[in-house]
Amino acid sequence: MNFQEALDALFERPRRRTVAHRSMTRLDHDRLVDGSAALHVDFHEDDPDHVYLITVERVPRVRLPLPAPVVAAEIGGVRALLVRVSIANHVEVTLDAEDTPRTRATTEGYRAAVTAWAESTGPDRQPPTSPGATTFPHVPITVTDDAGTEYRRTGGSGGGPETPWRMHWDFRPVPPPEARRLTIRFPAGETIFTLPGRR
């Protein structure tokens, strides 16, 4: 078992084979209060030459002030709004759709499709894709700061019946201590945030 296969076995479905046996032990029950924990993981026969030490840390998510949604782009007649920017161990940019008769009708159609899918019995049926996941992934988003940090988009998530238009995009790294301002750029303009606790 190589390192990537170990990660797959821990956090994803194994890509090539089933892990025969795994044990996981919590090493530091007394450290939960400070927001971190350590786990010892042993794959036994699958990786007899290694064990894995996993450190888990709880990181606060700081929401940057945004008094009202900001228009980011318009795609296919739907206005994408910047509704939240947060910082944790990354920068999270959240888009949602402007509430219009068109987006409400699309939402109703998507929820009806989700209900039909949930009631279906076919094993190969895929769940319907949320309207946000089909409309917003290609909105160009750039994150910069006054320290010259190079941010890269590393992932994203969103959708689902409750918030079908909402999409979260993750950028890394976290802003460095010397950064004072964070700028989010979209086709429709830019929004500048003052980073909290920095002078």
Side-chain angles (χ1 to χ4, degrees):
M1 174 179 284
N2 62 35
F3 191 67
Q4 184 61 54
E5 289 171 332
L7 291 176
D8 291 345
L10 285 168
F11 302 111
E12 304 171 6
R13 293 179 180 173
R15 294 177 184 170
R16 281 178 279 190
R17 60 195 175 97
T18 302
V19 176
H21 179 64
R22 173 184 76 189
S23 64
M24 188 178 301
T25 307
R26 178 82 183 275
L27 298 179
D28 53 358
H29 294 276
D30 57 330
R31 289 185 58 199
L32 183 62
V33 69
D34 71 4
S36 64
L39 300 172
H40 165 93
V41 180
D42 193 337
F43 290 101
H44 303 285
E45 295 86 8
D46 280 329
D47 193 351
D49 298 324
H50 302 94
V51 295
Y52 295 84
L53 179 65
I54 302 171
T55 302
V56 179
E57 181 178 353
R58 184 172 54 192
V59 178
R61 190 189 312 261
V62 178
R63 203 168 159 170
L64 300 181
L66 184 66
V70 175
V71 176
E74 185 168 329
I75 300 171
V78 175
R79 294 173 87 184
L81 305 178
L82 173 66
V83 295
R84 184 170 57 229
V85 175
S86 303
I87 295 177
N89 65 329
H90 65 300
V91 177
E92 183 183 77
V93 177
T94 303
L95 300 181
D96 209 336
E98 182 178 45
D99 183 25
T100 66
R102 178 178 179 173
T103 58
R104 286 194 295 273
T106 302
T107 296
E108 289 173 12
Y110 166 68
R111 288 178 176 158
V114 168
T115 299
W117 169 78
E119 294 171 352
S120 70
T121 57
D124 297 328
R125 291 198 60 196
Q126 295 296 315
T129 303
S130 70
T134 57
T135 308
F136 294 156
H138 304 295
V139 173
I141 305 170
T142 305
V143 178
T144 60
D145 64 33
D146 57 332
T149 308
E150 292 187 15
Y151 293 90
R152 66 192 183 284
R153 189 153 80 179
T154 58
S157 63
E162 297 306 313
T163 54
W165 289 96
R166 186 160 295 182
M167 295 297 295
H168 308 280
W169 298 113
D170 298 338
F171 292 82
R172 286 187 169 81
V174 67
E178 62 270 21
R180 303 290 179 265
R181 290 182 306 281
L182 191 73
T183 302
I184 313 296
R185 290 189 177 87
F186 296 99
E190 66 180 32
T191 301
I192 300 174
F193 298 89
T194 300
L195 295 171
R198 307 185 186 199
R199 297 178 182 266

